[in-house]
Amino acid sequence: MTAINEMGRRENYVGDKFLIENYKDIQKNILHTSNVLKNFGVSSPLKDVVEKKYYDTDDLFFRKVGINISINVYKSRPYADLVVRYDSEQKRIQFISNIPDTFIKKVGKKDTIDKHFEYIASTILELIPNGISVEPLEKVRQVKLKLTVKKKRERYRVIHSNGLKVILSFEQSVYMNSKRNKVKLNILELRLDSPKETAPLFDKFVHDLQLAEYRLIKTKHSDLFIGQDYLDI
């Protein structure tokens, strides 16, 4: 089995997602009208388009064991990201609680998932060292495209003098299942961009933002979970 190599990186995801109905008005209030960002430096907007393709078996085996597998293709980048993430409602056991929850590897924009089966299986063994009851590679070879999410994003990086850095991503999203059923949703994603030690500051920032903009509707933190709420996957 192929070992995880230097092309991949590990990280932990800390973030929240909110549904936003009045996209432009809420964006204006957060960025310009409310005082929530008055003590932050705010970057110029970065606009891009991303397409996320999520894969799983017919019986959603990997979703059930807490593994998300996706290939993310960006219009502005010459490569795609293969993402394998541990994302389960079950708390990790103590001796692996400090293992990063996400592996990201740069791949070709036109790569098919089968080119990376061995890499995916290797990362699963890293994310769940105690195993998944079956041989990972055998199950990985059964995955199919289950959900496609196309996002038109406008992102801002906000920085506070206390060390907190957050990415605000305003997203016009289209979720589509394998039967080509679709749903359109506007999403605000807040993602911690500073070390995990600043997570308490991030939690306070999210709380303050919710007080400043009451129209935010908290939703699942994963696009895969959001898609499952609205579509048959």
Side-chain angles (χ1 to χ4, degrees):
M1 186 177 294
T2 302
I4 298 172
N5 58 39
E6 68 278 1
M7 292 180 63
R9 72 179 191 271
R10 305 180 181 197
E11 63 180 40
N12 284 299
Y13 174 87
V14 178
D16 286 296
K17 290 181 186 284
F18 299 87
L19 297 175
I20 48 177
E21 292 187 3
N22 196 328
Y23 182 93
K24 290 296 182 181
D25 190 46
I26 290 177
Q27 183 185 48
K28 179 181 177 182
N29 184 44
I30 291 174
L31 293 174
H32 304 295
T33 306
S34 72
N35 291 322
V36 71
L37 295 180
K38 68 177 181 179
N39 294 319
F40 285 80
V42 182
S43 72
S44 299
L46 175 63
K47 298 181 179 181
D48 70 349
V49 177
V50 59
E51 181 179 76
K52 298 182 176 182
K53 294 184 177 181
Y54 287 91
Y55 296 84
D56 209 328
T57 61
D58 284 335
D59 61 354
L60 301 181
F61 174 84
F62 289 107
R63 171 68 182 92
K64 293 171 185 175
V65 300
I67 295 291
N68 295 350
I69 302 166
S70 69
I71 292 181
N72 304 337
V73 179
Y74 306 88
K75 185 177 180 180
S76 60
R77 301 180 190 176
Y79 59 87
D81 283 336
L82 169 62
V83 181
V84 185
R85 174 173 292 159
Y86 180 81
D87 201 348
S88 174
E89 295 177 358
Q90 297 182 5
K91 190 175 182 180
R92 281 175 141 183
I93 59 179
Q94 185 66 31
F95 82 93
I96 62 170
S97 60
N98 292 325
I99 295 177
D101 59 29
T102 305
F103 286 91
I104 303 174
K105 178 184 178 183
K106 292 180 182 179
V107 299
K109 294 182 77 166
K110 295 184 178 180
D111 279 9
T112 54
I113 192 74
D114 57 283
K115 290 187 65 175
H116 304 285
F117 281 166
E118 291 194 359
Y119 178 85
I120 294 168
S122 295
T123 63
I124 291 170
L125 290 175
E126 290 276 336
L127 294 168
I128 311 180
N130 54 324
I132 57 173
S133 76
V134 297
E135 204 286 314
L137 184 56
E138 177 184 337
K139 273 295 181 181
V140 169
R141 285 175 173 152
Q142 299 174 26
V143 300
K144 300 176 182 178
L145 178 62
K146 290 295 181 179
L147 178 72
T148 301
V149 187
K150 294 183 179 181
K151 292 175 171 289
K152 182 179 179 181
R153 308 188 301 185
E154 186 170 312
R155 293 182 294 157
Y156 297 82
R157 192 169 189 251
V158 302
I159 303 174
H160 195 280
S161 59
N162 61 12
L164 177 64
K165 300 176 184 178
V166 181
I167 301 295
L168 278 66
S169 183
F170 296 90
E171 305 173 348
Q172 296 171 292
S173 306
V174 178
Y175 295 76
M176 183 175 68
N177 64 12
S178 58
K179 299 176 183 177
R180 304 193 69 80
N181 298 320
K182 298 179 181 180
V183 62
K184 295 181 180 181
L185 299 170
N186 293 328
I187 302 285
L188 169 63
E189 180 183 21
L190 307 174
R191 180 172 60 84
L192 181 65
D193 196 43
S194 47
K196 63 180 181 179
E197 289 76 15
T198 60
L201 297 174
F202 174 80
D203 292 339
K204 183 180 184 303
F205 173 79
V206 174
H207 175 72
D208 292 344
L209 190 63
Q210 288 179 277
L211 292 178
E213 180 46 78
Y214 67 91
R215 293 168 293 180
L216 296 177
I217 303 170
K218 192 165 184 176
T219 187
K220 303 289 179 61
H221 66 279
S222 164
D223 282 315
L224 175 61
F225 300 165
I226 294 172
Q228 285 183 308
D229 282 347
Y230 286 88
L231 297 168
D232 178 24
I233 297 177

